[in-house]
Amino acid sequence: MTPRPRPIRRRTEYAWLVTGPLALGAVVFSLILGLTTSPSLGDWPMTLLLTAAMVAAALPTINVVVRRQALAATPTEIPLVVALYLLPPLSVVLAYTAAAIVVQIRRKLLPAKFWFNVALAAIATSLATVVYHVLPQPGGVGPGTWAVLTVAVGTHTLVALAAVVAVVSVVQGWQAGREMLRAAPPMLLAVTINLAIGLVIIIALEGTPWAVFLFAGLGIAFALVYGSYAQFFRQHRTVAEMYEFTKGITESGPDGNLIDALLVRIRSLMQAESATLWLPAQGRHPEVLLTAQEGKPGLLDSTHSPAALRDVAVARQETVAVSSRLGGDDLELRDTLESTSVKDVIVVPLRSGKAVIGTLEVTNRLGDTNSFRAADVTVFETVAAHAAVALENSRLVDRLRHDAYHDGLTKLPNRRRILGALTEAVRIRAPGEVVALLLFDVDRLRQVNESLGHAAGDKVLVEVADRLRGCVPSAALVGRAGGDEFLVTLRLESAEAAVELAGHLREQIRDEMVFDALTLDVDTAVGVVVHPDHGSDPATLLQRVDVAASAAKSVPGSVQLYTPALESRALHRLGLAGDLRSALENGELEIYYQPKVTLRDRRLVGVECLARWEHPTHGTVAPQDFVAVAEHTGQLGRLTEFVLREGLRHSRDWAHGGQSLAVAVNISARTLNDQHFPERVRELLAEYDVPAQLLTLEIEEAGVLDGTDRPIPTLRRLRDLGVRLSVDDFGTGSSSLAHLRRLPVHEVKVDHSFVQGMATDPGDLAIVNAVVTLSQQFGLTVVAEGVESELTLELLQDIGCEIGQGFLFSRPLPYERLEAWFGAQVDPESITDNELPRLRVVP
């Protein structure tokens, strides 16, 4: 870790650079007063009375904290105005300076601050007195006297402000001085109010001396009101800070700078010099010790408070607070702080249930006269409870995310994570580079499982994973695709370099493996593909690296670079390319329909159109196979139009029969690159007289969220037609819901692999829950694929998912059987012009 540059520390003793000139100025102006005015001290009882009034006025303070310094705003201008009017010049200076000494002694300030405040009081009062007596004295208490007193008190205030700004700039830097100037306007307003009150007192005393009792009563009332106001002000500030604290945690989120936001806001809320979070090592998470300290950017990896306090808080599982204003502290804890620079500290254990997962602490209340109180402990314990929940949720989300993208056996990234890394590598590929994907297929693993058991097979896989991870270049990412297959992806200079690396890695991991008395030879067949030569998207690269690895198996232990001939030979063996063209021309493909049902009230909202092909020789052909053939042979447009026509035709027929149902059609990512496709959709909608809102086009996540803006223009044109757009198989790629915010889509379909695992895998349940919650916040409809059990249905209902499809409701059915299904499952009485048909029975 690179150490942060430490700023130059300014010491409080530097205040003497300002205190000395202030004291000298006070002596000079006092001598001027003694030489130019009467040296008499006047009426001693009145002087003592006003001195006591100045002391009392200095007690109710409004503290303004600027960095490490606490500045106080007091109503001392009120007795100062009276003293200027009633007392001789030197008595004014003596009374105000004596009152300042008494107040500073009571506050127990450090010597540097003590003498600065005394010197400031002396020079400000002496200069104000000089100004008052230099100006003409109009006599009486009319406007002339008001003006003279205003100038004198204004001089006093400006001198005090200038001195404070100077000393803060010297001690804390010029930025702190600028902050002090920004805090000055409210103080100047308070001075104006105090001046007006002082003038009112003078006017009243001139009328009758008995007015002093009236103002004494008002002073007592003011003290009571001020106490209530100060308490209300502190409570209001605490509530506001708590709101900002909670808001900051929410906005940071699990992917944000949670700890940074947490500590900075806690330090501000508690007005502490530092806030520290300590989390012990747990699982794959290392120990955390981070501190947000006032005046220092970022987080520090150390703290001034002793570790013994954290140990005590963890051992007792209770808050440890050491402060001069808190009673009942252990003497041992106080002794622990004596050797440190910490004057007070609060340490709160963070709990998850009954377990302590760490501690949160604040040290040194800002301002030499300020310390933590009992109310601060209560507030801090509340903050710590919120922080513990946020940290635990953050670690839970991190654990779920880790489990969702890593293989449980080998701890390697899984296929989903590899595809995400592959997508990112394709996006940032530099000119002249290729993105290589290598697939290692372990030979004879099935024989190991059959002869030695699956435990031995698992050991083989773990050993292969360790060997592969230990010999790949540092820039490579190793993952397990599933079964006995491992993937490696990285950027290289050429396809030839990828083949050379694959051969080198194969030789590195090829070695004997001993199980008790049995020795095995570990060997692999390796397939290699590179982007952009062999595909532009991760799904295609993965499919083609499978083809290459399958070809490599025919020659044990070989490395095979993908070539189109490999796939062409496979397609030729299946006889699909030419047969698909004939099947499209002769109408041999059939459309099956799978109902989409609202989960809450079982209403039929539409059907998904799924192409099926029963080959006369090869039997049922998987849709992904003939769709891939259509893409490679240029027949994708014909296949897409065929499905659209069949779906729209039947949608029209259902509408004429009084049952208006929406149809959903899957389209390939390549279709979005066809600029004529939206116009063709518009023509088909017009031809079959079907409203655009009854057509939903579903695009796989990898196609619509490919990291570029290429599909956006086509999607917007389709949206402008009124067609609904859906992201299919969401969650299988590396994208996030945040990427959907910039796309004109209406619907998200959660992939069946997550839905089917909800009932048994907490990770899948958490992922589906997150997708549903965030999608609804973005205004997107959520469709769950693969609903096959009542338990899954109930879980989806609990988390608020709206629509589902799966075998629980119906398998994909041909048109004739779908009509029969309608008759058996749909309640005829529920079919009205205003409502969707309701299912009578859910099989």
Side-chain angles (χ1 to χ4, degrees):
M1 179 179 295
T2 303
R4 297 182 176 89
R6 289 184 173 270
I8 300 175
R9 287 187 58 87
R10 299 176 183 267
R11 300 171 57 87
T12 304
E13 287 74 9
Y14 288 176
W16 290 106
L17 297 175
V18 180
T19 304
L22 292 180
L24 180 61
V27 172
V28 171
F29 287 117
S30 296
L31 289 175
I32 293 174
L33 286 174
L35 295 175
T36 58
T37 63
S38 172
S40 172
L41 295 179
D43 187 3
W44 276 104
M46 179 61 69
T47 301
L48 293 176
L49 178 63
L50 287 175
T51 302
M54 292 175 183
V55 172
L59 296 180
T61 60
I62 299 176
N63 288 324
V64 178
V65 177
V66 178
R67 305 232 174 153
R68 298 173 183 266
Q69 307 302 322
L71 308 174
T74 62
T76 53
E77 291 82 6
I78 298 175
L80 176 62
V81 171
V82 178
L84 286 171
Y85 183 78
L86 296 180
L87 297 180
L90 289 179
S91 296
V92 176
V93 178
L94 177 62
Y96 199 91
T97 305
I101 293 174
V102 172
V103 171
Q104 307 314 314
I105 292 175
R106 182 180 182 277
R107 291 178 179 174
K108 299 179 181 179
L109 294 180
L110 296 175
K113 286 190 175 183
F114 175 90
W115 289 113
F116 168 80
N117 289 336
V118 172
L120 174 58
I123 188 172
T125 309
S126 60
L127 182 56
T129 306
V130 169
V131 171
Y132 177 75
H133 286 279
V134 167
L135 294 176
Q137 303 293 321
V141 290
T145 301
W146 301 352
V148 173
L149 287 171
T150 299
V151 173
V153 173
T155 302
H156 183 278
T157 302
L158 292 178
V159 171
L161 179 61
V164 169
V165 171
V167 76
V168 169
S169 299
V170 168
V171 174
Q172 295 294 330
W174 64 270
Q175 297 92 343
R178 186 172 59 181
E179 291 179 19
M180 184 61 230
L181 284 176
R182 291 176 180 173
M187 297 182 183
L188 296 178
L189 177 61
V191 170
T192 303
I193 296 174
N194 294 337
L195 174 63
I197 295 174
L199 293 174
V200 170
I201 293 175
I202 292 174
I203 294 172
L205 290 176
E206 283 292 327
T208 172
W210 294 102
V212 67
F213 296 103
L214 176 62
F215 288 109
L218 290 176
I220 295 173
F222 171 79
L224 296 176
V225 171
Y226 177 82
S228 300
Y229 166 77
Q231 182 179 5
F232 169 78
F233 181 79
R234 286 193 297 267
Q235 292 174 347
H236 174 75
R237 178 186 173 278
T238 300
V239 171
E241 290 282 356
M242 284 291 292
Y243 170 77
E244 292 296 330
F245 170 76
T246 306
K247 181 181 178 182
I249 291 179
T250 304
E251 290 178 349
S252 64
D255 295 327
N257 298 323
L258 176 61
I259 295 179
D260 199 338
L262 190 74
L263 292 179
V264 170
R265 292 185 180 276
I266 287 176
R267 194 198 62 75
S268 173
L269 171 64
M270 300 301 297
Q271 290 188 336
E273 179 181 338
S274 64
T276 301
L277 172 69
W278 173 74
L279 299 174
Q282 180 182 4
R284 61 186 183 86
H285 298 284
E287 181 183 14
V288 173
L289 179 64
L290 294 173
T291 299
Q293 188 164 340
E294 191 279 327
K296 295 185 178 180
L299 298 180
L300 307 178
D301 55 3
S302 61
T303 179
H304 296 301
S305 61
L309 296 179
R310 292 192 295 273
D311 297 337
V312 172
V314 173
R316 297 179 181 177
Q317 294 193 7
E318 62 182 23
T319 300
V320 173
V322 182
S323 171
S324 61
R325 303 228 177 157
L326 294 172
D329 296 331
D330 292 347
L331 294 179
E332 295 181 2
L333 300 181
R334 288 183 176 275
D335 295 339
T336 303
L337 292 184
E338 287 184 356
S339 59
T340 68
S341 59
V342 178
K343 66 175 181 178
D344 50 2
V345 62
I346 305 175
V347 183
V348 178
L350 300 176
R351 294 183 178 87
S352 176
K354 295 183 178 180
V356 175
I357 62 173
T359 61
L360 196 62
E361 63 186 66
V362 288
T363 58
N364 291 350
R365 190 69 178 266
L366 291 177
D368 292 339
T369 61
N370 295 335
S371 297
F372 294 120
R373 305 167 182 255
D376 296 322
V377 175
T378 303
V379 171
F380 192 43
E381 288 177 339
T382 304
V383 169
H386 285 285
V389 172
L391 290 169
E392 190 69 4
N393 288 342
S394 177
R395 284 197 168 184
L396 175 61
V397 170
D398 180 69
R399 185 163 57 249
L400 291 174
R401 185 184 292 113
H402 181 273
D403 293 344
Y405 288 99
H406 288 78
D407 174 54
L409 176 63
T410 63
K411 310 305 179 185
L412 291 175
N414 58 17
R415 179 192 298 264
R416 190 182 309 160
R417 175 69 181 89
I418 289 291
L419 285 176
L422 191 58
T423 301
E424 181 65 14
V426 167
R427 187 182 67 82
I428 65 175
R429 179 183 67 90
E433 286 184 336
V434 299
V435 179
L437 181 63
L438 286 56
L439 190 150
F440 293 79
D441 193 315
V442 181
D443 289 340
R444 298 186 299 276
L445 182 65
R446 184 171 183 177
Q447 289 85 339
V448 173
N449 289 332
E450 292 176 352
S451 58
L452 301 178
H454 286 276
D458 290 344
K459 291 182 180 179
V460 171
L461 292 174
V462 171
E463 179 64 22
V464 171
D466 292 340
R467 293 180 181 181
L468 193 58
R469 184 166 38 197
C471 63
V472 296
S474 58
L477 180 65
V478 182
R480 184 186 177 197
D484 55 1
E485 296 179 343
F486 295 86
L487 291 169
V488 176
T489 181
L490 75 165
R491 291 182 291 165
L492 295 169
E493 59 273 15
S494 64
E496 291 74 16
V499 173
E500 182 181 353
L501 175 64
H504 174 72
L505 295 178
R506 175 181 165 272
E507 291 299 326
Q508 289 291 320
I509 64 176
R510 183 182 181 184
D511 199 358
E512 292 182 345
M513 188 178 298
V514 179
F515 289 97
D516 297 331
L518 184 63
T519 301
L520 302 178
D521 287 328
V522 178
D523 203 354
T524 56
V526 189
V528 181
V529 296
V530 296
H531 165 81
D533 298 347
H534 303 143
S536 59
D537 61 274
T540 300
L541 293 173
L542 187 61
Q543 181 262 330
R544 290 177 175 174
V545 80
D546 275 327
V547 173
S550 297
K553 287 182 180 180
S554 60
V555 181
S558 69
V559 176
Q560 177 65 60
L561 178 67
Y562 171 85
T563 62
L566 294 175
E567 196 166 24
S568 297
R569 286 196 300 268
L571 296 177
H572 177 71
R573 287 194 300 267
L574 294 175
L576 295 181
D579 292 346
L580 178 60
R581 183 176 293 104
S582 300
L584 288 172
E585 292 174 352
N586 301 326
E588 296 177 7
L589 268 68
E590 188 176 5
I591 303 300
Y592 278 49
Y593 302 88
Q594 187 171 32
K596 299 167 70 174
V597 180
T598 59
L599 301 181
R600 188 64 59 185
D601 54 5
R602 310 294 203 282
R603 292 194 178 275
L604 181 63
V605 295
V607 293
E608 181 178 3
C609 303
L610 302 169
R612 295 292 184 264
W613 185 16
E614 192 71 20
H615 195 280
T617 303
H618 302 289
T620 301
V621 181
Q624 59 267 28
D625 291 337
F626 64 77
V627 169
V629 171
E631 288 183 341
H632 299 152
T633 57
Q635 302 180 73
L636 181 61
R638 294 183 60 194
L639 176 61
T640 301
E641 182 172 339
F642 168 77
V643 180
L644 279 170
R645 283 187 174 276
E646 289 297 300
L648 293 175
R649 179 168 64 86
H650 289 143
S651 179
R652 178 194 60 188
D653 296 340
W654 289 323
H656 290 168
Q659 187 171 322
S660 180
L661 289 178
V663 292
V665 176
N666 292 282
I667 62 173
S668 171
R670 293 190 178 185
T671 303
L672 296 178
N673 296 327
D674 182 4
Q675 59 181 345
H676 302 294
F677 179 68
E679 179 63 23
R680 188 57 184 152
V681 171
R682 187 191 64 78
E683 293 173 355
L684 291 174
L685 289 171
E687 179 181 345
Y688 288 98
D689 193 24
V690 174
Q693 62 268 22
L694 292 183
L695 173 63
T696 299
L697 298 179
E698 299 181 0
I699 310 100
E700 287 187 355
E701 176 190 7
V704 72
L705 295 169
D706 61 354
T708 69
D709 293 333
R710 288 178 297 179
I712 293 181
T714 302
L715 292 173
R716 286 177 176 168
R717 291 174 60 192
L718 292 169
R719 179 198 60 187
D720 293 340
L721 290 176
V723 174
R724 290 179 57 81
L725 301 174
S726 175
V727 179
D728 196 14
D729 298 336
F730 188 84
T732 57
S734 62
S735 58
S736 69
L737 281 168
H739 297 155
L740 296 179
R741 301 177 63 183
R742 62 186 181 91
L743 297 178
V745 297
H746 308 84
E747 182 180 279
V748 172
K749 298 189 73 174
V750 186
D751 186 69
H752 64 86
S753 61
F754 298 109
V755 176
Q756 291 174 351
M758 290 174 60
T760 56
D761 189 345
D764 286 344
L765 177 60
I767 291 173
V768 175
N769 189 16
V771 171
V772 171
T773 302
L774 294 178
S775 296
Q776 290 174 346
Q777 291 180 356
F778 293 157
L780 302 176
T781 302
V782 182
V783 179
E785 298 180 300
V787 182
E788 297 183 0
S789 68
E790 287 288 347
L791 179 56
T792 301
L793 177 62
E794 292 176 1
L795 291 174
L796 289 169
Q797 288 176 334
D798 291 342
I799 64 178
C801 186
E802 303 159 22
I803 300 173
Q805 65 182 95
F807 292 171
L808 178 64
F809 307 110
S810 173
R811 294 175 179 271
L813 300 173
Y815 179 74
E816 293 77 14
R817 291 179 58 189
L818 182 68
E819 289 291 319
W821 184 87
F822 282 162
Q825 304 298 332
V826 174
D827 186 356
E829 296 180 359
S830 68
I831 303 176
T832 66
D833 293 337
N834 298 325
E835 290 188 340
L836 295 168
R838 185 193 298 272
L839 299 187
R840 184 186 312 174
V841 179
V842 178

